Structures are given as structure tokens and as C-alpha cells.
Amino acid sequence: MFGQNLDVQLSSARTKDTTVVWKSFHDSITLIVLSSENTSELRLERLLHVVFGAMVLLVGLEELTNIRNVERLKKELRASYHLIDSFLGNSDLIGDLTQCVDCVVPPEGSVLQEALSGFAEAVGTAFASLVVSGRMVAATESWWRLGTPEAILLPWLVGSLPPQAARDYPVYLPHGSPTVPHRLLTLTLLPGLELCLLCGPHPPLSQLDPQLLERWWQPLLDPLRACVPLGPRALPAGFPLHTDILGLLLLHLELKRCIFTVEPSGDKEPSLEQRRYLLRSFYTLVTSMHFPPEPGQQEEKVDDVAHQAQVPRACYLVSGTEEPGTGWRLMALQLGPRCLLLLLSAQSPIHGLRSLATHTLHALTPLL
């Protein structure tokens, strides 16, 4: 506030062991986050944006910008607490940081996509998706065109809610419809796998009776079952990955989608929780220090070809002890709209990291 009075913009501060980041939204709500875990400012800034998005998603922008009764607003915001808590915990998802939708790769994606589009047309909505553990399995074209942050928040919300056979949930779209609510209908097809519909007053939830669901989805029971274990794994069983790979993050920066998994060689060190932490930290470092955060952003800033050629496309980091031959390897490679981050075992030779990353990226390219 002191800086604002002097026309000075101050958005963060650091002490010896704490980072503080704050941001004001619509000159109405100011969010402040403190971290004592040496968290980067980029991570905390994106956390504030996704938290405000969650508040708009469940309360609406009008209630947040035109506050008539503070106590009433506090009560309404309780609906967003569980979703916000999931951002602060050790989530299996990464869309809050990457600003890309977490996806999985189903074995029979085209079959599920065709059925989903047909079902959406039958019930009278253009917005439909299949979600497993907060990750997108398939979606209609209109659903994929949802803006940020709702494209990230809607599946995350579904994954954070307690299991329920069916829901009729009012939601606002922070980008597309922040003041007029829509209805999010969810139907559990299998434990952990939910069918989601975004619609207006119609259809009523009662119209989506078990007979309708059975007619459309019973013939696809085996492909649907194959999706359930994809929650943490993301990739189909048997997908060929090098044995040194302990985790990966694949981003398509134009489509705003990503695949994130730390399941490969899950019986090896480090733990799954530490793998997630390492890849999240490496992504933050790579995005803030080396690669442009958005496709084309760097290219817009430089005109001469010689300078463009200097834009980095690969980098690596060794995390751990300084002894030769030890420490987890972290490798990042960007080719066109895709960016791949790998966590590799300490036995992986440093001189072969780029070749391994290039081969892996080419193998993953058809999936995303």
C-alpha cells in the first residue's frame, strides 16, 4: 500500500527463509501467499492466479468485485476451500503450474472420442468430457476451446470432489462467463472415471437416466476400464520408455495440454513425492530462466536471425551430491510447440541426455 501511494508497483518480497507474493484482482480482492520452502516467485504468482480462478469458478466474479456483505461472501467462499487446498497440497497434477490441462492417453482414444461426441449431441450440449482422477481422457471440440483457467479448473474440481454417482454443480467460467452460472453435470461411469457435461438449464439431470448411459457406454466397458489406471500413470501400459526415465512432463504449448507422470520405475529411488517436487522445480527453473514461457514470445522480441538462433532449446541439471556419477539428471528439450522435461536416474550418462530426450520426444509426439 505504501508503494501504491508513490506509484511504485511491488509484487513480492523475500526474507532469509520466506518468500511473500501478492496480487490484487479487479481492484477488489488482494491475495497474499507466503512460502518457507524456497519456492520460486513464478510458482507463487501462478498459484495466486489459479486460486482466484477457483474463487470465480464457484462464487462468480460479481460477488468478488461488488462486495455488499463481507460475512455472506465469506460463507460463499467456503465452497472453494477444498479446491484451493488441493492446490496447496502435494497434488498428482501439474496444470496449476504449467497452465496446461493435465491429460492421459487412453488405449482406444478415437473410439471414446466418437462415443463422447455422439452422447453430447444426443443430450443437447456441445461441452462434454471424460475425466479420470482430475485428468482429461477425451473431450468434445467445444470443451477443448474453453479458455484458461476454466479448462484447467473444471477437471481439477471434478477430481477433488468426493465420489458421487451424479452431480448437478453450478459453476462460473472465469474467462468465458464469469458472471452468469452454468451447470456442471457429472456422472460416474466407473470408480474414478466421470462423464462431465457443461450446459445451461437443459438437460435436467433426471433426463440422464441409467438406460441412456447404458445404451451409449455399456458397449465400451472394456475401453473405459482401461482408462481407470491411467490416473497417475498417464501413459498406456506397455508404452516404451527408456529404463533410466523416472518421470516426465510433456507440454504442448499451443494446445495448452500436458502429460505428467512419475510412475516409470516406481520401485526405484527417489520417492514419487520427491520426483514430483524435482520436476515441478525444474519446470519453474526452465520456464523462468531458459525457455520462453509462451510459444513465440521470444521470437516476437527479437528480429534478427542470429539472435533467434541463440534462444536455448535444451538444458540439463544434476540434482544431488557433487560426487562424480551421482545425482538425479534433469533434462529439458523444446522442439516447436512441444517441450519435454525428463527426470532420469543417476546412472544415465550426461553425454547421452540430449539424444535420449530427443528420441523420447519423437516417440511421445503422436500422443500430444
Side-chain angles (χ1 to χ4, degrees):
M1 293 179 66
F2 177 77
Q4 284 181 342
N5 293 332
L6 300 175
D7 292 327
V8 175
Q9 184 177 359
L10 186 64
S11 59
S12 64
R14 283 184 179 271
T15 66
K16 183 179 179 181
D17 55 4
T18 304
T19 302
V20 185
V21 176
W22 59 90
K23 184 171 179 59
S24 178
F25 296 88
H26 298 274
D27 295 323
S28 176
I29 297 288
T30 298
L31 298 180
I32 305 171
V33 60
L34 295 86
S35 175
S36 58
E37 299 179 354
N38 196 28
T39 307
S40 73
E41 291 180 14
L42 174 70
R43 164 76 179 103
L44 297 178
E45 288 169 1
R46 293 191 174 182
L47 175 62
L48 291 181
H49 279 280
V50 78
V51 167
F52 184 74
M55 294 164 64
V56 176
L57 182 79
L58 297 174
V59 175
L61 187 60
E62 177 68 22
E63 292 294 328
L64 297 172
T65 57
N66 188 15
I67 302 172
R68 301 179 184 88
N69 187 317
V70 174
E71 293 304 318
R72 176 186 169 189
L73 178 61
K74 287 180 181 179
K75 292 180 181 178
E76 292 179 343
L77 283 173
R78 290 175 186 169
S80 65
Y81 287 177
H82 186 72
L83 179 57
I84 293 172
D85 284 344
S86 68
F87 302 141
L88 303 177
N90 184 33
S91 174
D92 294 340
L93 308 175
I94 200 170
D96 60 319
L97 176 60
T98 63
Q99 298 179 325
C100 296
V101 181
D102 286 277
C103 301
V104 301
V105 183
E108 299 184 55
S110 59
V111 175
L112 295 175
Q113 183 70 52
E114 183 178 353
L116 183 64
S117 299
F119 181 82
E121 185 176 354
V123 299
T125 180
F127 300 88
S129 66
L130 288 172
V131 176
V132 59
S133 303
R135 294 171 169 86
M136 299 294 293
V137 177
T140 59
E141 290 185 14
S142 295
W143 186 290
W144 282 126
R145 287 198 294 267
L146 289 172
T148 304
E150 51 258 36
I152 299 164
L153 290 171
L154 287 172
W156 196 307
L157 171 66
V158 173
S160 70
L161 294 172
Q164 202 166 335
R167 303 186 193 91
D168 191 338
Y169 213 82
V171 294
Y172 298 82
L173 305 182
H175 175 77
S177 181
T179 58
V180 178
H182 287 63
R183 295 166 60 228
L184 176 64
L185 307 183
T186 69
L187 299 153
T188 299
L189 300 180
L190 290 171
L193 178 64
E194 300 191 61
L195 171 64
C196 304
L197 305 172
L198 192 62
C199 53
H202 302 285
L205 187 60
S206 58
Q207 181 180 324
L208 307 176
D209 54 65
Q211 289 78 17
L212 178 66
L213 292 175
E214 186 173 335
R215 186 167 73 249
W216 278 94
W217 299 106
Q218 184 67 32
L220 300 177
L221 194 54
D222 288 338
L224 290 172
R225 282 175 176 157
C227 295
V228 175
L230 291 178
R233 195 172 65 210
L235 297 172
F239 186 84
L241 286 176
H242 194 281
T243 54
D244 285 347
I245 295 176
L246 304 176
L248 68 85
L249 169 61
L250 174 66
L251 302 126
H252 196 298
L253 300 174
E254 291 180 355
L255 296 178
K256 290 287 189 180
R257 304 175 196 174
C258 67
I259 296 172
F260 179 51
T261 180
V262 293
E263 293 290 318
S265 303
D267 55 337
K268 298 180 181 178
E269 291 291 333
S271 66
L272 301 185
E273 181 178 350
Q274 190 176 0
R275 293 182 189 190
R276 282 190 287 269
Y277 174 79
L278 288 169
L279 276 171
R280 276 179 163 266
S281 300
F282 187 50
Y283 169 82
T284 303
L285 173 69
V286 166
T287 302
S288 57
M289 298 291 293
H290 299 296
F291 296 164
E294 301 294 340
Q297 184 169 327
Q298 283 280 9
E299 287 77 356
E300 293 173 4
K301 295 180 181 178
V302 293
D303 295 325
D304 65 288
V305 177
H307 194 177
Q308 288 189 34
Q310 297 174 15
V311 176
R313 294 301 176 203
C315 64
Y316 77 90
L317 176 72
V318 177
S319 174
T321 64
E322 298 181 359
E323 298 178 14
T326 63
W328 319 116
R329 278 75 162 119
L330 290 146
M331 177 72 195
L333 177 68
Q334 183 164 320
L335 290 176
R338 293 178 178 84
C339 182
L340 175 66
L341 279 69
L342 293 178
L343 172 64
L344 300 123
S345 69
Q347 287 70 43
S348 190
I350 291 177
H351 66 267
L353 294 181
R354 180 158 189 158
S355 174
L356 192 158
T358 302
H359 175 79
T360 304
L361 181 56
H362 286 324
L364 291 168
T365 293
L367 306 182
L368 188 63

